[in-house]
Amino acid sequence: MSTTAVSVPMPTIPRRRRSPEDIASAALVEGPRKVLLAAPRGYCAGVDRAVIAVEKALEHYGPPVYVRKQIVHNLHVVSTLEEKGAIFVEETDEVPEGALVIFSAHGVSPAVVQSAEDRGLQTIDATCPLVTKVHREAVRFAKDDFDILLIGHEGHEEVEGTAGEAPEHIQIVNGPEDVDKVEVRDPNKVIWLSQTTLSVDETMLTVNLLKERFPTLQDPPSDDICYATSNRQAAIKKIAPQAELVIVVGSANSSNSVRLVEVALEYGAKASYRVDFANQVDESWFEGISTVGVTSGASVPEVLVREVLSLLADYGYADVEEVVTAEEDILFSLPKELRATLKEKGDVSRGLGGRGARPAH
């Protein structure tokens, strides 16, 4: 039986860099240098809740605590939790019978829940409540015998979990290129749902194309793309036209982080790059650049952004202006299975997850 943790090594010694003087002489910058720092950025309430769930489980149950898939899509978060005793596995059959397993923030299908139950596993469901909402919509409309068009990236954990709620009713639509392939039983009984972390603009492009084919296509009862994804995209849309370069902090498997790079380029940034860590920033990007935009995906702790800002300051970008497009104060209760344990133990230190309620480490 395998209990091998996911390998996510932390960065070691940064490579040898060109000096600020070398960069300055390579391409002169007209005017002062500055950073436009997006707000909101970083941790959303669902991510915060999921990370706290693993930390609290380790604290009260002791290691090891097993987690199916990455709890959130961020290398630093996963590596930090591994150091504390979390073991990340791909499937529940890698977890010893009777052990504790936490389901990631991206959600799981009923088949995964059943598999855990069959193995006698203790479970904590850290699925983001906004993802759970989409699951419930899928169940509801499948029960009413709708064809459900799920806009999202095939193979993404969230999409697999949602599709697993009603596989006989759900078709995955990856994007505009898939619209012509869609087939439904009754064009008058079709609804679309979406992955929560998509590009708002691309999703609506796909929806509009679907409505050209199926004019009576119904919209979901409420927006499926989560508030955090929408807010982070809105912030970078405001910054991008003013920034020659946009740096997005986030991991390659973080859908919302990857989308931020695309949105930055679409809305006017001359260049945009995604990095996990500050030591992945290439100083040649700064040549001829006066304004740098900085943001981070919804699963990124603020410390990683601060390290990028520190690096930028070394290269003359010490003037940081925060561009605020929304205020976030959403909080989610911790998973019910964990709340019961915390109550029993008298632990009242953290019962909620959400923006503004978590230290930057």
Side-chain angles (χ1 to χ4, degrees), residues 40-45 48 52 227 232 302 327-331 350 352-360:
R41 62 183 177 276
Y43 267 12
C44 64
D48 195 46
I52 295 170
Y227 76 94
R232 280 147 192 72
E302 181 67 6
E327 297 286 348
E328 294 179 351
D329 57 2
I330 292 178
L331 298 171
R350 286 302 299 272
L352 299 170
R355 184 166 179 81
R358 188 172 182 77

Side-chain angles (χ1 to χ4, degrees), residues 25-98:
S25 62
L28 296 177
V29 175
E30 295 182 6
R33 303 179 188 188
K34 66 177 180 179
V35 173
L36 299 177
L37 180 61
R41 62 183 177 276
Y43 267 12
C44 64
V47 164
D48 195 46
R49 171 184 186 265
V51 174
I52 295 170
V54 179
E55 292 174 342
K56 286 296 185 182
L58 285 165
E59 181 181 339
H60 287 291
Y61 300 113
V65 165
Y66 294 85
V67 184
R68 182 185 179 275
K69 307 291 188 180
Q70 293 186 2
I71 186 67
V72 297
H73 287 159
N74 184 265
L75 294 181
H76 174 79
V77 171
V78 170
S79 181
T80 300
L81 292 173
E82 282 184 325
E83 291 173 0
K84 295 179 179 180
I87 296 178
F88 292 86
V89 298
E90 286 300 301
E91 297 298 344
T92 53
D93 61 9
E94 299 174 56
V95 181
E97 291 188 9

Side-chain angles (χ1 to χ4, degrees), residues 109-359:
S109 69
V112 172
V113 176
Q114 185 62 53
S115 172
E117 186 176 319
D118 291 345
R119 292 182 56 78
L121 303 180
Q122 304 174 63
T123 60
I124 293 175
D125 187 359
T127 302
C128 173
L130 299 180
V131 174
T132 299
K133 176 186 78 73
V134 181
H135 281 227
R136 289 173 178 163
E137 290 171 348
V139 171
R140 168 187 164 189
F141 288 103
K143 188 176 295 185
D144 290 338
D145 203 30
F146 275 75
D147 279 328
I148 301 167
L149 307 182
L150 177 59
I151 301 172
H153 301 299
E154 192 163 11
H156 190 281
E157 292 152 43
E158 181 185 328
V159 171
E160 289 180 348
T162 303
E165 293 285 359
E168 69 284 1
H169 286 271
I170 292 177
Q171 296 180 61
I172 298 171
V173 182
N174 282 283
E177 69 280 3
D178 277 1
V179 169
D180 289 339
K181 306 172 189 174
V182 174
E183 295 183 3
V184 301
R185 295 168 299 159
D186 180 355
N188 294 311
K189 206 166 185 181
V190 187
I191 188 166
W192 69 272
L193 304 176
S194 81
Q195 181 180 333
T196 63
T197 55
L198 298 182
S199 160
V200 177
D201 294 340
E202 184 176 348
T203 299
M204 293 317 299
L205 171 60
T206 303
V207 169
N208 290 335
L209 291 172
L210 285 169
K211 286 185 174 180
E212 289 179 8
R213 287 202 60 198
F214 310 108
T216 58
L217 176 70
Q218 292 191 32
D219 298 326
S222 60
D223 288 343
D224 284 347
I225 295 177
C226 85
Y227 76 94
T229 298
S230 299
N231 286 347
R232 280 147 192 72
Q233 290 176 18
I236 210 62
K237 287 176 183 179
K238 185 171 182 179
I239 286 174
Q242 308 171 63
E244 298 107 318
L245 166 67
V246 170
I247 297 174
V248 177
V249 186
S251 292
N253 62 341
S254 167
S255 178
N256 72 88
S257 297
V258 173
R259 299 288 85 72
L260 286 171
V261 173
E262 297 170 352
V263 171
L265 293 171
E266 182 180 351
Y267 278 79
K270 294 182 176 62
S272 183
Y273 303 97
R274 180 201 55 77
V275 299
D276 270 291
F277 306 102
N279 67 6
Q280 294 172 339
V281 172
D282 188 330
E283 69 279 1
S284 67
W285 298 344
F286 306 145
E287 293 180 3
I289 301 297
S290 60
T291 304
V292 180
V294 175
T295 189
S296 59
S299 53
V300 178
E302 181 67 6
V303 63
L304 300 183
V305 176
R306 293 296 158 185
E307 289 172 355
V308 169
L309 294 177
S310 177
L311 174 69
L312 286 168
D314 290 343
Y315 283 84
Y317 302 88
D319 180 12
V320 178
E321 176 188 343
E322 191 167 52
V323 178
V324 181
T325 56
E327 297 286 348
E328 294 179 351
D329 57 2
I330 292 178
L331 298 171
F332 292 138
S333 296
L334 294 182
K336 63 180 184 298
E337 306 93 342
L338 190 55
R339 292 202 307 271
T341 297
L342 298 184
K343 183 177 181 180
E344 179 184 330
K345 302 283 187 179
D347 182 347
V348 295
S349 59
R350 286 302 299 272
L352 299 170
R355 184 166 179 81
R358 188 172 182 77

